[in-house]
Amino acid sequence: KGAPNDDTRPRGTGTMSLRLDGGESEAGDDQHLLQPAPSFYSAAFRKSSGEEDQSLLNSDSKKSMGIEFGSASDAAGRGHELETSSCSGKFGRGIKWIQMLQEDYGGKLLVALVIVQHLTKGFAMSWVGNALNYYFRDIGGITSSTIQTYTAVIMTPWCIKGVLGLLSDTVTINGYHKGPWITMSTIGYVGAGLYVGMARIHAISLFSAILCLLMMQLHIAWSDLLTEAKYSERIRNRPEHGSDLISFVWGGLSVAQLLAVGTVGFLIESFGAKHVFTLSVIPCALGIVPGCLNLLEEQPHPEHIYRELRPPHHPQANGGRREGGSRDRSSSAPTSLSYRFSIFTFNAEKINRHYNYFLLVVILTGLSLVLAMVGVLSSNAAFNCGVAVAAGIATIAAFFILADDLVAKTNSFFLLCACCYLSIEGATFYFFTDAPSEYPGGPNFSPTFYTTVIGLVASGTSILGIYIYNTCLSHSKYRKIFMINGLVWTFVNLISCAVFLRWNLLVMLESSPDVIGLKTAIITTAAAAAAAVASTAKKHRR
């Protein structure tokens, strides 16, 4: 899973039907990978009642529902009762759907997903992402290109998820791989959020603010990664309702993002951007619950398989062998490549089995950190661009040298696509939000309108894009999907040029400022529908 989009508008969600048995499709038999998942209501319908529910569709359905009409007037008198029964029936099927997921995947996992995926990644991340640009503007003296650079630095944890996964896989705390890391990152988020949110805007250095914001993103990215690994593991074990669990995750994520977008504009306008960081601590602090209560239901590794870290000359070092090479039979130390130091245990077996991917993770992490450091320390745009181009070339070369051809080609394609998309998010932020004294005749959007109204329009167009994908493109080849999306996205974004050149005012002279703003928002965010098509297709590919 890669880094999120560079904009902070909420992404739409869709149900996905994934092949989770680990097998490979025959040639020409891969279209089932793009089949839309069944409705979660229909899944609960089948789970709760089985084949007997088909009786609702035949002539005896009125008896199965307990309704018998004697005449037309009797039927009319029962109309309100039937409507009420239908509404309660839908609600009941929704409850049964949740119960089905609880039986298959465990109630504790569902609670952990609500806390991490919905409240943390969906709600808190949307709050923080929408407040970033306003926070940098409040500091003052930061150009649009610098805002984009700082934002990219803050999002660095999403680029180093490979090393975060490697760390949690190879280093356990008291035998646990996931829970303690989520707890520790939660504590870091709470401290960083309170510090950057409660300090006066100019009492904290810019470097410290960026470091705190990076720490906050580290918690979101790391907890997201670990919970995704856990529910992916559960889906592999019980693939029958895997698409329903994914629908639960992304459906709740979408609702949480909508709630966040609907409120963040008012908070920024009323209290200031930095206080949004403070308030985001409330939902993220719940991240301590999955680790402390073991909601991921991890089984700790037996303590007897680990060895204490010892110096090389110790008799029990090197698996209990003497310096001459003969084994010390008096030693009962195991031969596992796991080493224990206090509460931490390091297991090197996975690194030895996948050494090439370990090197790839180290290289990509190093390049990401170099880009982050250059972005913070250097103000020379040409130098930063040169470093970024060199890092991109090194990334593609590392993939082709250390990874399989399919993995290398796929990642290179997406990297080149990302490089072709030149983000102007920082410039558009100032363009739309500058006050009339700063930009006379500009859009002059308020924080509420820019974050909430435009965000809701973008969310709606994203949902439209997913609907178009599921109804029109779900059986298409990836090549066709990407080609159509690229052409449509390019054309729709060209329309935005009319907004930047203020040509839209020529056809909106008789409109009020609010109407002009709304029409401008619709034109500006219409490209989200095309973007959602490619985004959904990428999720299917993953």
Side-chain angles (χ1 to χ4, degrees):
K1 185 179 178 66
N5 295 333
D6 57 351
D7 59 357
T8 56
R9 295 171 292 190
R11 294 167 290 177
T13 61
T15 57
M16 294 179 285
S17 179
L18 306 177
R19 180 165 183 172
L20 301 163
D21 54 4
E24 297 181 359
S25 304
E26 298 293 335
D29 189 30
D30 59 350
Q31 297 301 324
H32 68 284
L33 295 175
L34 294 178
Q35 294 291 339
S39 167
F40 48 80
Y41 285 137
S42 63
F45 195 73
R46 295 192 305 271
K47 177 71 176 179
S48 60
S49 302
E51 298 296 330
E52 295 180 0
D53 288 331
Q54 298 298 328
S55 62
L56 295 176
L57 303 178
N58 57 31
S59 59
D60 296 331
S61 61
K62 60 183 180 180
K63 295 181 180 180
S64 65
M65 296 174 65
I67 301 176
E68 296 184 3
F69 299 123
S71 62
S73 61
D74 188 14
R78 299 285 185 93
H80 178 70
E81 178 182 351
L82 179 61
E83 182 180 357
T84 304
S85 176
S86 176
C87 294
S88 62
K90 292 181 179 179
F91 180 76
R93 286 193 291 271
I95 296 298
K96 290 180 180 179
W97 178 66
I98 297 295
Q99 292 175 347
M100 176 198 69
L101 294 177
Q102 180 182 357
E103 293 174 0
D104 288 349
Y105 302 107
K108 290 184 177 180
L109 177 62
L110 297 184
V111 174
L113 293 178
V114 169
I115 293 174
V116 174
Q117 294 292 328
H118 300 168
L119 296 179
T120 300
K121 182 182 178 182
F123 194 85
M125 184 176 178
S126 295
W127 264 7
V128 172
N130 280 283
L132 275 178
N133 290 340
Y134 286 96
Y135 179 75
F136 288 130
R137 190 181 70 173
D138 293 340
I139 294 176
I142 300 179
T143 63
S144 58
S145 60
T146 306
I147 283 183
Q148 288 188 209
T149 302
Y150 290 162
T151 302
V153 171
I154 292 169
M155 293 298 178
T156 299
W158 294 92
C159 302
I160 62 171
K161 292 179 75 172
V163 75
L164 297 179
L166 178 67
L167 182 61
S168 62
D169 281 346
T170 57
V171 179
T172 62
I173 301 178
N174 278 340
Y176 294 94
H177 283 283
K178 298 177 175 64
W181 294 113
I182 296 178
T183 301
M184 293 171 60
S185 65
T186 301
I187 296 174
Y189 185 102
V190 172
L194 292 177
Y195 180 68
V196 73
M198 300 182 68
R200 293 195 305 271
I201 196 71
H202 295 293
I204 178 175
S205 66
L206 183 60
F207 179 81
S208 299
I210 293 175
L211 185 62
C212 289
L213 293 170
L214 187 146
M215 181 65 68
M216 295 163 66
Q217 291 295 328
L218 176 64
H219 164 64
I220 300 175
W222 207 347
S223 58
D224 169 61
L225 174 69
L226 296 180
T227 53
E228 279 184 340
K230 176 53 67 173
Y231 76 71
S232 298
E233 176 186 339
R234 295 286 179 87
I235 289 176
R236 284 197 301 269
N237 296 333
R238 298 184 65 93
E240 296 84 5
H241 300 109
S243 60
D244 293 283
L245 183 60
I246 294 175
S247 299
F248 172 80
V249 172
W250 287 96
L253 183 69
S254 178
V255 172
Q257 287 175 336
L258 286 174
L259 293 175
V261 170
T263 56
V264 68
F266 169 78
L267 294 176
I268 294 174
E269 196 166 353
S270 302
F271 305 104
K274 71 186 189 71
H275 292 293
V276 175
F277 302 147
T278 305
L279 294 175
S280 69
V281 169
I282 298 175
C284 285
L286 296 176
I288 201 172
V289 175
C292 293
L293 300 183
N294 193 22
L295 296 183
L296 298 181
E297 298 180 293
E298 294 184 85
Q299 297 296 328
H301 291 274
E303 296 295 331
H304 66 273
I305 70 172
Y306 301 126
R307 293 181 298 175
E308 298 287 346
L309 284 175
R310 304 180 187 277
H313 61 274
H314 195 278
Q316 291 186 2
N318 301 317
R321 295 184 180 275
R322 301 181 187 273
E323 294 183 0
S326 61
R327 183 172 181 82
D328 186 1
R329 298 183 181 274
S330 62
S331 171
S332 59
T335 59
S336 173
L337 296 177
S338 298
Y339 301 92
R340 181 180 175 87
F341 180 76
S342 184
I343 62 175
F344 298 94
T345 304
F346 173 70
N347 186 351
E349 293 181 356
K350 293 184 178 180
I351 295 179
N352 291 340
R353 289 200 305 265
H354 308 284
Y355 190 71
N356 57 328
Y357 282 100
F358 167 72
L359 289 179
L360 182 61
V361 166
V362 172
I363 292 173
L364 297 182
T365 302
L367 293 174
S368 300
L369 295 178
V370 168
L371 288 175
M373 293 175 60
V374 169
V376 173
L377 301 178
S378 174
S379 58
N380 189 330
F383 176 75
N384 293 352
C385 180
V387 173
V389 171
I393 296 175
T395 298
I396 295 177
F399 267 109
F400 277 98
I401 294 174
L402 298 173
D404 298 334
D405 287 342
L406 179 61
V407 175
K409 292 177 181 179
T410 303
N411 282 277
S412 298
F413 170 76
F414 287 120
L415 176 60
L416 292 175
C417 288
C419 292
C420 292
Y421 174 68
L422 303 179
S423 174
I424 55 173
E425 178 68 18
T428 56
F429 170 73
Y430 280 124
F431 174 82
F432 285 117
T433 62
D434 275 347
S437 59
E438 298 167 330
Y439 183 17
N444 311 134
F445 289 160
S446 66
T448 300
F449 188 89
Y450 183 73
T451 58
T452 298
V453 177
I454 294 182
L456 293 177
V457 172
S459 179
T461 52
S462 296
I463 294 174
L464 175 63
I466 292 173
Y467 173 78
I468 294 174
Y469 170 79
N470 286 327
T471 56
C472 303
L473 298 173
S474 59
H475 297 280
S476 301
K477 297 288 186 179
Y478 287 121
R479 193 170 295 139
K480 178 181 178 181
I481 292 174
F482 290 141
M483 184 176 297
I484 294 176
N485 173 77
L487 294 175
V488 173
W489 198 359
T490 301
F491 173 75
V492 175
N493 274 280
L494 286 175
I495 301 176
S496 299
C497 295
V499 179
F500 297 135
L501 294 173
R502 309 303 289 148
W503 291 351
N504 58 307
L505 296 179
L506 299 178
V507 295
M508 300 179 186
L509 290 177
E510 302 299 327
S511 300
S512 64
D514 292 338
V515 175
I516 292 176
L518 182 57
K519 291 181 180 179
T520 303
I522 294 175
I523 294 174
T524 305
T525 59
V533 176
S535 178
T536 307
K538 290 177 184 178
K539 294 173 186 175
H540 280 280
R541 178 178 289 276
R542 293 191 184 101

